[in-house]
Amino acid sequence: MQIININNSYHYETENLLRVFFPEEKFHCAEVATEGEDRCIFETEGSRVKIELFISGERLSDEKFFSFDDKEEGETDESFLERKGAVMLFGLLCSYTGYTPPWGILTGVRPAKLMTKLISSMGEEKAVAYFMNELKVSEEKTALALMVAKNEAPLMQVNTEKSYSLYISVPFCPSRCSYCSFISHSNESAKKLMPAYVEKLCEEIRVTGAIARELGLKAESIYMGGGTPTALTAELLKRVTDAVSESFPVSSVREYTIEAGRPDSITDEKLEIIKSCGATRISINPQTFSDDVLKAIGRNHSSQMTVDAFLAAREKGFDNINMDLIAGLPTDTAENYEATLRRALSFSPENITVHTLALKRSSAIVTEKRGTNSGQAASEMLSFTQKTLLSEGYIPYYMYRQSKCLGNLENVGWAKKGYEGLYNVYMMEEIHSVFAVGAGAVTKLKAPYDSSIERVFNYKYPYEYIGSFDEIIKRKEQIKIFYDKYFKG
C-alpha cells in the first residue's frame, strides 16, 4: 500500500495506524499515486486536513477544518493536525474493516507513561477523558493504563541519582520459536560458541562491575535474560552467576531475576545454581498449555514439562515465579487460551506476564506466511485476561507495546501485591541507567537530573561479540564519561 503525505511529514504515524488494521500489508512512501494500487493520502493545508483511502477499488474520504485554538498545552500546530488527522484516518479504517481497535490512535510503546504524564499536567479526571475522547482509547484500556500508572508509581520512588540496574544477555535457546525475531541461536547451532561466549561475558561483567563501584553507584536490580540463560550447560551457567556475585552486590539488590523460560532447558542442577547464587525471581514460561499450539510455534516441550519444571522450582524453594503467556498464537482459540490462563492460575504463580503476538519481520510466522489469529481474537483473549486476573487478586504493574502487535494490543505484567517485577518497571519507565552486557545488549545511560538518555551498543551476534570484544570493553568507558559530566561537574 502506498502512503502519500502532502504538505506534512506524518508518514511514521500514518503507517503505524494503517498497520493496526492491515498487519501483514507492505507499505511504502510515494509522492504520486499509482492507479490501481491501494493507497492512503494524508493531506494538510493551513488548518485543513483531508484523508483519502483507496482499498480494493473502494474509496473512503474525510475532510475537516480545525481551529488551532483547540490545541492542547504543549502541542505544536503540526502535532495537533497529526493527531486530528489520525482520528479521521482511524474512523475511516474502523468503518471499512468493521473493527475498532481498543487503543484507538495510540501507537506508542508506553501508554502508562503517557497516562502518568497527563495526570501530572492536567489531573486524573482530565487525563482519563483525554485518553477516551481525543485518543479514542476504549474505556477498558483507559482503565488498564490508569491502573498500571498507579501501581508502578510507588515502585519507582526508591530511585536515586545513583541507582542503576544490570541486564545480562544470554542469546541462546533450545530452539527458535516461530514468532521469535530476537538475536538468539539454538543450542544445536551454537554449542561451539558457548564456552568462548561465556568467557567474554564474564569478563564484561567484571569490567562493568568495577566501573559501577568506581563511580559509587547503587545496584537496584539484576536481570539475566536472552534468549534463555538455562540453555547454557550447568557449568557455564555457574560461571556466569559466579562472575555476577563477584562483581555486583547481589545480597543488597532489590531483585535478581534469571529467566529459565524454556521448560526443556531446566534441570535440578541448574535450579540449585540459580537458587544458591542469590537470585530471587525466575521465569518459567509455558506460553500456552495446549500441546498442539506448542507444536505449531516450534516449542520442543510439552505442557507437562512446564508443570514439572514449575513444581521442581517450588521444591527448591523459589517463592517468586513468573509465567509468560501469549495471546493470539497461531492455531490457538479463545477456548484454548482461556483454559491456558486457568491452568496457569492453578499453580498460583506470583507473576503472570501476558504478551500479545507480534508479527516480527524476520520471524518464521511472517517469512513463511503462516496463519495467525486476528487482532479482534487477541483483543477478546486480553479482555478475558484482565477480567480474570483482577478477580483473582493480581494487579497490572507494568505495560508496553511492540510494533506489529496483533490489533495494536499490549503486553502486561500482572502480579500478586508485593511481587511486582521491579526490573521490568525500571527498564520500561526509564527511571535510571541500565548497564547491559552480552551480545545484542544496549546500555541505556539515564541522566541523574533530567530525562536525557544515551545508548552504548554491543555487537548483536555472538560471533561478532567474541571477535570484537576489545571494542566492546573500550565502549564501556562511555559510562564513566557520562557520569563524570554530572558527578564531577
Side-chain angles (χ1 to χ4, degrees):
M1 178 182 287
Q2 287 183 313
I3 297 175
I4 301 171
N5 292 94
I6 300 175
N7 301 325
N8 64 73
S9 56
Y10 303 153
H11 168 265
Y12 180 78
E13 186 65 25
T14 305
E15 180 175 338
N16 281 344
L17 197 50
L18 287 165
R19 197 175 297 284
V20 172
F21 293 86
F22 306 108
E24 298 181 31
E25 182 68 65
K26 292 183 178 179
F27 301 96
H28 61 97
C29 294
E31 293 184 1
V32 180
T34 301
E35 288 299 322
E37 185 173 353
D38 289 351
R39 57 193 181 275
C40 172
I41 303 173
F42 193 141
E43 181 181 357
T44 56
E45 183 178 6
S47 64
R48 179 180 67 89
V49 177
K50 182 178 181 181
I51 307 290
E52 287 185 289
L53 284 174
F54 296 84
I55 307 175
S56 300
E58 186 174 344
R59 178 181 179 272
L60 299 89
S61 68
D62 193 7
E63 183 174 6
K64 287 185 172 68
F65 287 84
F66 298 99
S67 170
F68 291 122
D69 292 338
D70 294 333
K71 290 186 300 183
E72 296 293 333
E73 184 178 349
E75 265 191 323
T76 63
D77 291 354
E78 290 74 20
S79 59
F80 172 73
L81 291 179
E82 182 178 30
R83 176 168 61 83
K84 290 296 187 180
V87 170
M88 293 165 60
L89 176 58
F90 180 77
L92 292 176
L93 291 168
C94 291
S95 175
Y96 177 78
T97 62
Y99 171 52
T100 302
W103 282 103
I105 67 167
L106 195 57
T107 58
V109 172
R110 299 175 176 86
K113 190 171 187 177
L114 175 60
M115 176 63 81
T116 298
K117 180 180 177 182
L118 291 174
I119 290 173
S120 176
S121 64
M122 62 177 65
E124 181 179 317
E125 185 178 346
K126 289 185 177 179
V128 167
Y130 185 85
F131 255 62
M132 296 176 64
N133 299 330
E134 300 298 327
L135 303 179
K136 303 303 178 184
V137 180
S138 73
E139 183 177 358
E140 179 186 58
K141 297 306 182 187
T142 298
L144 177 61
L146 181 62
M147 283 189 286
V148 172
K150 288 183 173 181
N151 289 331
E152 69 183 6
L155 305 179
M156 297 188 285
Q157 290 176 1
V158 301
N159 190 59
T160 73
E161 70 274 8
K162 293 202 171 184
S163 292
Y164 75 94
S165 290
L166 172 70
Y167 176 78
I168 304 156
S169 169
V170 181
F172 305 105
C173 279
S175 64
R176 185 166 180 147
C177 300
S178 64
Y179 54 78
C180 181
S181 66
F182 287 127
I183 306 301
S184 62
H185 296 261
S186 66
N187 278 9
E188 186 176 341
S189 64
K191 280 181 180 177
K192 293 180 181 179
L193 284 176
M194 286 183 179
Y197 179 82
V198 166
E199 180 182 353
K200 299 299 185 186
L201 178 63
C202 290
E203 184 177 344
E204 189 183 5
I205 288 169
R206 294 186 183 100
V207 168
T208 306
I211 292 171
R213 290 193 300 274
E214 180 183 338
L215 292 169
L217 303 178
K218 184 179 185 298
E220 302 289 355
S221 68
I222 299 171
Y223 194 101
M224 189 185 303
T228 306
T230 46
L232 297 174
T233 64
E235 178 188 359
L236 292 176
L237 178 63
K238 189 173 189 309
R239 286 180 62 185
V240 178
T241 58
D242 284 350
V244 174
S245 297
E246 293 164 7
S247 307
F248 293 89
V250 169
S251 62
S252 64
V253 297
R254 298 178 186 277
E255 177 185 86
Y256 181 1
T257 298
I258 296 181
E259 286 191 4
R262 294 287 293 265
D264 45 339
S265 71
I266 298 172
T267 65
D268 281 350
E269 185 180 6
K270 292 176 187 178
L271 288 173
E272 288 170 2
I273 290 167
I274 295 170
K275 188 65 179 174
S276 63
C277 79
T280 58
R281 180 177 181 271
I282 62 171
S283 285
I284 297 173
N285 302 332
Q287 313 299 29
T288 174
F289 278 103
S290 166
D291 287 340
D292 289 341
V293 178
L294 286 171
K295 184 177 180 181
I297 62 176
R299 301 276 282 198
N300 296 334
H301 64 84
S302 65
S303 57
Q304 185 58 46
M305 290 173 71
T306 303
V307 174
D308 293 343
F310 187 94
L311 295 178
R314 282 291 197 231
E315 288 179 6
K316 296 294 181 186
F318 287 97
D319 59 4
N320 190 354
I321 303 177
N322 172 72
M323 281 186 158
D324 275 9
L325 306 179
I326 300 179
L329 287 170
T331 76
D332 206 2
T333 63
E335 184 179 12
N336 274 347
Y337 176 81
E338 290 173 13
T340 283
L341 183 60
R342 290 193 182 98
R343 189 80 187 280
L345 284 168
S346 72
F347 300 105
S348 194
E350 286 66 35
N351 286 236
I352 297 179
T353 305
V354 182
H355 299 266
T356 302
L357 180 68
L359 301 178
K360 296 298 186 179
R361 184 181 304 171
S362 60
S363 67
I365 286 177
V366 173
T367 59
E368 298 173 15
K369 297 184 178 179
R370 302 182 187 180
T372 63
N373 263 298
S374 67
Q376 185 145 5
S379 180
E380 291 168 2
M381 293 176 184
L382 293 185
S383 291
F384 176 80
T385 298
Q386 183 168 329
K387 179 180 177 181
T388 303
L389 291 182
L390 286 173
S391 71
E392 292 292 329
Y394 288 79
I395 61 171
Y397 70 92
Y398 98 109
M399 172 169 57
Y400 71 101
R401 272 125 49 89
Q402 298 167 275
S403 64
K404 303 180 183 178
C405 266
L406 289 178
N408 192 32
L409 294 165
E410 73 277 359
N411 308 310
V412 180
W414 296 83
K416 296 179 180 179
K417 187 67 177 176
Y419 288 94
E420 300 88 357
L422 301 179
Y423 171 82
N424 293 325
V425 175
Y426 300 156
M427 176 270 299
M428 189 51 55
E429 298 306 317
E430 298 177 320
I431 64 170
H432 61 228
S433 293
V434 176
F435 300 159
V437 298
V442 180
T443 291
K444 295 172 74 172
L445 300 173
K446 164 69 170 57
Y449 308 116
D450 60 53
S451 60
S452 61
I453 290 175
E454 294 183 16
R455 290 171 172 80
V456 183
F457 295 86
N458 281 6
Y459 291 101
K460 286 186 177 181
Y461 298 98
Y463 68 88
E464 291 179 305
Y465 176 82
I466 295 166
S468 303
F469 188 72
D470 288 347
E471 172 61 23
I472 285 173
I473 295 302
K474 183 179 178 182
R475 291 178 184 179
K476 289 294 179 218
E477 290 296 315
Q478 294 179 46
I479 298 174
K480 290 193 282 189
I481 294 169
F482 179 85
Y483 278 98
D484 281 349
K485 287 189 300 186
Y486 297 94
F487 297 149
K488 289 189 176 179

